[in-house]
């Protein structure tokens, strides 16, 4: 592939999205897909919570959903059972890319290694700093000047896969956990569609040895950073 090919019309990237909550990031992708702004087809949404508002968003857009609730009939569904069903569902949908967008269960290494498509995660910190939970609180406690969000490849080690893109903001002296969460989420809503566009156009690498490494020889090293001081 040459750089010129990046502007050619391309086959839509088939995307499966895993969610646990509100699904505002999913909504951004749905809107962009429906507007024809992104060359994607959202082929299905999996939620581990039956009360996730993300499911309503998907159903309203006529996107197939699978609810693999972590609590069913009063019993907790173990992660292995969840992963078996999730893998079957993903195989049936045949995605090119799996997006974890606010998905809050920790997945096992064997699931991650065997899913039928590359998987990326949206994380609310500037990785590699602040892996895990409560990132906004920890950023404020540490008196950080900068914060943001990252999109990284999912590997067996939590929040440790290659970081593809990041969006950065300046932490304000008056910021609270709530204000930072809201400001970072606005960044996520921009970073996710930009990143998926670059993946769909094969500018960012989905696989380790794909042709886009040719392009990267001539581009800055990853992660690609977007500075939005909103
Ligand atoms: C995002 O802020 C993401 O950083 C975190 O979970 C949130 C999901 O938001 N991991 P939504 O469900 O997309 O609204």
């Amino acid at each position: 592939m040459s750089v010129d090919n990046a502007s050619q019309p391309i086959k839509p990237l088939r995307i499966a999205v895993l969610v646990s909550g509100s699904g505002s990031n999913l909504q951004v992708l749905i809107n962009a897909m429906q507007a024809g702004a992104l060359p994607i087809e959202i082929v299905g949404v999996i939620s581990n919570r039956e009360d996730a508002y993300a499911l309503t968003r998907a159903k309203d857009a006529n996107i197939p959903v699978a609810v693999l609730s972590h609590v069913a009939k009063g019993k907790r569904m173990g992660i292995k059972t969840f992963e078996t069903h999730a893998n079957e569902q993903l195989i049936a949908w045949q995605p090119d890319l799996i997006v974890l967008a606010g998905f809050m269960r920790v997945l096992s290494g064997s699931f991650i290694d065997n899913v039928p498509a590359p998987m990326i995660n949206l994380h609310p910190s500037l990785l590699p700093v602040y892996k895990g939970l409560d990132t906004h609180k920890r950023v404020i406690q540490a008196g950080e000047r900068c914060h943001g969000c990252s999109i990284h490849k999912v590997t067996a080690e939590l929040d440790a896969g290659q970081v593809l893109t990041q969006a950065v903001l300046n932490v304000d002296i008056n910021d609270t956990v709530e204000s930072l969460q809201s400001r970072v989420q606005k960044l996520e809503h921009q970073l996710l569609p930009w990143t998926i566009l670059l993946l769909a156009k094969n500018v960012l690498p989905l696989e380790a040895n794909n042709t886009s490494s040719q392009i990267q020889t001539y581009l800055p090293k990853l992660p690609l950073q977007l500075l939005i001081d909103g």
Side-chain angles (χ1 to χ4, degrees):
M1 173 174 175
S2 72
V3 175
D4 286 341
N5 284 349
S7 59
Q8 300 282 309
I10 46 169
K11 195 167 131 268
L13 193 71
R14 295 172 61 82
I15 295 179
V17 186
L18 270 64
V19 295
S20 300
S22 151
S24 64
N25 285 286
L26 170 68
Q27 189 68 56
V28 167
L29 295 184
I30 291 171
N31 294 348
M33 174 180 75
Q34 289 177 338
L38 276 184
I40 60 169
E41 180 186 354
I42 305 174
V43 293
V45 171
I46 295 177
S47 173
N48 70 314
R49 296 187 60 109
E50 58 191 351
D51 59 352
Y53 186 63
L55 290 168
T56 305
R57 298 182 193 268
K59 286 178 198 162
D60 286 351
N62 292 318
I63 295 168
V65 299
V67 183
L68 300 174
S69 174
H70 62 307
V71 185
K73 294 179 191 148
K75 276 188 167 175
R76 194 170 162 77
M77 184 194 279
I79 191 67
K80 285 285 162 219
T81 312
F82 171 87
E83 289 179 344
T84 302
H85 292 312
N87 199 47
E88 284 168 5
Q89 186 60 76
L90 290 170
I91 288 169
W93 284 336
Q94 298 187 321
D96 300 313
L97 175 69
I98 301 163
V99 179
L100 307 185
F103 180 71
M104 300 307 287
R105 279 199 95 162
V106 176
L107 297 164
S108 74
S110 70
F111 175 80
I112 292 165
D113 290 343
N114 290 298
V115 280
M119 188 153 56
I120 58 171
N121 180 44
L122 177 60
H123 181 76
S125 82
L126 296 175
L127 292 171
V129 292
Y130 301 104
K131 294 173 181 163
L133 297 174
D134 297 326
T135 58
H136 311 305
K137 186 174 162 191
R138 288 188 285 144
V139 160
I140 287 183
Q141 282 171 348
E144 298 283 3
R145 295 270 184 93
C146 286
H147 186 36
C149 51
S150 305
I151 294 180
H152 65 95
K153 291 187 186 178
V154 177
T155 56
E157 195 183 338
L158 188 69
D159 299 330
Q162 182 190 24
V163 181
L164 298 172
T165 57
Q166 294 184 317
V168 184
L169 55 69
N170 293 323
V171 179
D172 189 87
I173 188 97
N174 298 315
D175 264 319
T176 60
V177 171
E178 292 71 30
S179 70
L180 264 192
Q181 182 175 355
S182 153
R183 293 179 63 209
V184 168
Q185 201 160 44
K186 283 188 190 142
L187 295 191
E188 292 174 354
H189 294 165
Q190 299 181 58
L191 188 67
L192 186 58
W194 271 115
T195 305
I196 287 182
L197 180 64
L198 294 174
L199 289 167
K201 289 194 168 251
N202 203 27
V203 173
L204 283 173
L206 266 178
E207 308 286 355
N209 295 316
N210 75 355
T211 49
S212 55
S213 56
Q214 222 178 319
I215 290 178
Q216 284 173 47
T217 310
Y218 302 98
L219 295 178
K221 283 209 169 71
L222 297 177
L224 196 62
Q225 281 199 340
L226 194 67
L227 176 63
I228 309 166
D229 198 2

